[in-house]
Amino acid sequence: MIAQRADAAYFGYGRTASVADAAPLYRAAAAKGEYRSLLMLAWIAHLGSERAADKQLAENYLRRAASTGWAEGVALYGNFLVEGRLGESRKSEGIPFLRQAATQGSSAGEIGLARALVSGAGGEKNPGQGINMLLALSEKGNSEADYVLGQFYRGDGGFDRQRDRAIFFLKKAAGQEHAAAWRSLHQEYMRPEATQDERAMRFIALERASDLGDSDAANDLGIQWENGTMNWKSPQKALYFYEKAAKKGNGAGAYNVGRFYQYGIEVPRDTVVAERYYKQAAGNGYQLAKTALAQMKSPAAPARQVAANASTQASTSALARPNARGAPTARQIRDALVYEQTYGRVTVADSMGLGTRQADYDAGISRTTFFGITVVQSYDVANPSCILAEKGKFTCRYDLKLVAAGFPYNGPGSHTFEMQGGRWRSPTYLKAIVDAGNRSAAGANNGRNCTVQGFGTAEGASLKDQNGLSC
C-alpha cells in the first residue's frame, strides 16, 4: 500500500509527480521489506532527484536488493554496472549479476546480458549469441526484446544498421503497445529514406507513444506544436503536452512548463509557478532547469521581468477595443475558418470525393482525408473583437475552441477577414494552412517544395514543384 502511494507520487498517477513526496514513502516501504522500493530509491539517488546525485547511495540500495536474491534486483544491479552508471571501470562487474538473473529466469537479466554481448560492454563481446538470445525471447512474445532488436538494427551499440529489420521488430513491439517502440518508429519515419506512407505516419507514431504513457514522446509532441512542425504553431497544444510530460515526472517537460510560465507564453506570467516546475525538473536531473533557477535568482531577474510584462501589455492592448462596424460576427468568423480549412484550396479531401458537406459546415466541422486517414476538426468562436485594417478588411481577435484530430485547443485566435463573393473569407488563415501543408509536403518529398494542391492524390504524381521536379 505504501509502495503504491509512492508510485502515484513519483509517476504522477492522478496528481503532479513529486519526488519529494515519493522518496520518504519508498524508504518506508523498503523498511517493510518491499524490494522494488529499493530499486526506485536507487534511481532517485542516481539521478539526484531528491538531493545531489549520489552513486554510492544508489549502489547501496542496489546491493541490498540484489543480496535478497530477488532476480529483478540482481538484474538491475548488473545493468547499472554494465552501463557504466557506477563507473566506467566497473562495467565487467555487472556480467556475473546479469548471468545470475538470467539463470533465475529474469527477462531483464537475459536482455541486459544480450545487450552487453552485442555491444561488448563489460568486456565480453559475442554479437551472434546476444542476438540469438533476443530472438529467442522475441519468439516468446517479449516486446522488450523486439524493441531492443529494433534498436540494434537501427545501428545502436555499434551494430550494423539494417533498416528493414529495425522497422520489422519495432512494429512488432509497437503492436504489443510498447511505447518506446512507437517513439523509435517516429524517429525512423522522420529520416530522409522514409517512404511517403511512413512520413504520413510519423506524428501518429509519436502520438501513440504519448498515449501509451511515454513522457519523452509527450514532451516531443510539445516541441513539435511549439515549433509548428506538426501542422501549424500552437503554443496552447504545446503546453498541453508539456504538462502531460511533467505529470509523468519528465524533467524536460517540467522545464518547458516552467519556461511558459516564466515568460508568459499562453499563460499569465507567474514566476512562482515557473520556479515550482523548474525545481521539479531539476529534481529529475534536468540541467537546464538548474540553470534557469540560478538565473531567476540573479539581481537582474526582476528588471527583466518588469520589461517583459510591459512588452506584453503593449502588444495585447492594440486589439482590446469594441467590434468595428460591419465586422464579422462570431458565427461568420467560425464559418470562414471552417471554409478555408475544408474548401479554401484544392485539397486532398476534394480529390478523394468528400465534396461539399453542408451539414458539417453548419455544425462548424471540417472533415478532410489524408492518405486514407480522415481528420475531423471542430470550431467554436466567441467574443470577437475586430478593428478595421483597411477598407473591407478586418483584423479580429477571438476566443477559439478547436478540436483537431482529437487534440483540444482552447485559447485566443487572431486572423484577418474580408468579404469575397458574398462569403466571409480569411486570407491569413488560408495562408497559414497552405504554408503548413507546404512544409509537410516538402518534408515528405525529400525537401522539394510541393504545394498541398493534389499532394497525396491520384493526380499528385503528375505535379511538379517550382524547380520542375516531380512531387
Side-chain angles (χ1 to χ4, degrees), residues 155-229:
D156 285 6
F159 204 72
D160 290 339
R161 178 172 167 79
Q162 299 179 47
R163 187 173 189 274
D164 288 346
R165 290 186 68 79
I167 296 293
F168 171 80
F169 284 109
L170 289 174
K171 282 185 173 179
K172 189 177 176 185
Q176 299 178 69
E177 299 195 336
H178 193 291
W182 277 109
R183 181 156 48 86
S184 289
L185 284 172
H186 160 76
Q187 293 164 355
E188 282 296 317
Y189 294 164
M190 293 289 287
R191 294 177 65 92
E193 65 267 32
T195 67
Q196 182 169 300
D197 286 345
E198 287 173 344
R199 291 191 68 82
M201 285 288 294
R202 64 196 187 280
F203 294 125
I204 294 174
L206 192 59
E207 289 163 359
R208 186 62 182 141
S210 174
D211 289 344
L212 290 170
D214 190 306
S215 64
D216 286 332
N219 184 66
D220 288 349
L221 280 168
I223 293 170
Q224 303 291 347
W225 280 111
E226 186 174 2
N227 294 335
T229 48

Side-chain angles (χ1 to χ4, degrees), residues 110-269:
E110 291 183 77
I111 291 171
L113 180 59
R115 294 179 72 158
L117 291 172
V118 173
S119 65
E124 294 187 29
K125 187 163 186 176
N126 190 331
Q129 182 184 353
I131 291 296
N132 285 336
M133 290 174 64
L134 291 169
L135 288 172
L137 288 169
S138 173
E139 287 295 320
K140 296 177 182 177
N142 188 298
S143 63
E144 181 66 15
D146 289 325
Y147 168 69
V148 173
L149 282 165
Q151 292 297 94
F152 276 134
Y153 284 119
R154 291 183 70 200
D156 285 6
F159 204 72
D160 290 339
R161 178 172 167 79
Q162 299 179 47
R163 187 173 189 274
D164 288 346
R165 290 186 68 79
I167 296 293
F168 171 80
F169 284 109
L170 289 174
K171 282 185 173 179
K172 189 177 176 185
Q176 299 178 69
E177 299 195 336
H178 193 291
W182 277 109
R183 181 156 48 86
S184 289
L185 284 172
H186 160 76
Q187 293 164 355
E188 282 296 317
Y189 294 164
M190 293 289 287
R191 294 177 65 92
E193 65 267 32
T195 67
Q196 182 169 300
D197 286 345
E198 287 173 344
R199 291 191 68 82
M201 285 288 294
R202 64 196 187 280
F203 294 125
I204 294 174
L206 192 59
E207 289 163 359
R208 186 62 182 141
S210 174
D211 289 344
L212 290 170
D214 190 306
S215 64
D216 286 332
N219 184 66
D220 288 349
L221 280 168
I223 293 170
Q224 303 291 347
W225 280 111
E226 186 174 2
N227 294 335
T229 48
M230 284 275 301
N231 191 349
W232 64 87
K233 285 188 178 182
S234 174
Q236 187 73 20
K237 282 190 173 68
L239 180 59
Y240 167 81
F241 283 106
Y242 290 149
E243 288 178 331
K244 182 177 181 180
K247 287 177 181 177
K248 291 287 185 181
N250 186 283
Y255 167 78
N256 283 320
V257 176
R259 180 169 55 84
F260 270 46
Y261 275 97
Q262 183 181 4
Y263 296 106
I265 304 172
E266 288 300 313
V267 291
R269 280 188 176 84

Side-chain angles (χ1 to χ4, degrees), residues 349-363:
D350 294 327
S351 68
M352 290 185 178
L354 292 181
T356 302
R357 295 179 177 272
Q358 189 64 43
D360 282 348
Y361 183 74
D362 290 341

Side-chain angles (χ1 to χ4, degrees), residues 374-450:
T374 299
V375 178
V376 178
Q377 296 187 186
S378 64
Y379 295 76
D380 188 25
V381 172
N383 304 318
S385 177
C386 304
I387 60 171
L388 182 64
E390 57 184 89
K391 185 177 181 180
K393 185 175 292 187
F394 297 85
T395 300
C396 302
R397 287 177 64 87
Y398 43 87
D399 294 332
L400 175 64
K401 291 184 179 180
L402 170 67
V403 179
F407 296 107
Y409 169 80
N410 294 309
S414 178
H415 277 289
T416 299
F417 298 86
E418 63 184 2
M419 187 68 74
Q420 294 181 14
R423 180 191 299 276
W424 282 102
R425 300 286 301 273
S426 177
T428 57
Y429 188 55
L430 175 59
K431 183 178 186 301
I433 295 168
V434 173
D435 286 348
N438 286 344
R439 288 195 299 273
S440 177
N445 287 276
N446 297 320
R448 294 198 294 273
N449 185 25
C450 298

Side-chain angles (χ1 to χ4, degrees), residues 71-72 74-76 79 95 97-103 105-116 133 137:
E72 297 308 310
V74 175
L76 187 61
N79 278 314
I95 298 296
F97 286 101
L98 292 175
R99 290 194 187 282
Q100 177 186 336
T103 301
S106 165
S107 61
E110 291 183 77
I111 291 171
L113 180 59
R115 294 179 72 158
M133 290 174 64
L137 288 169

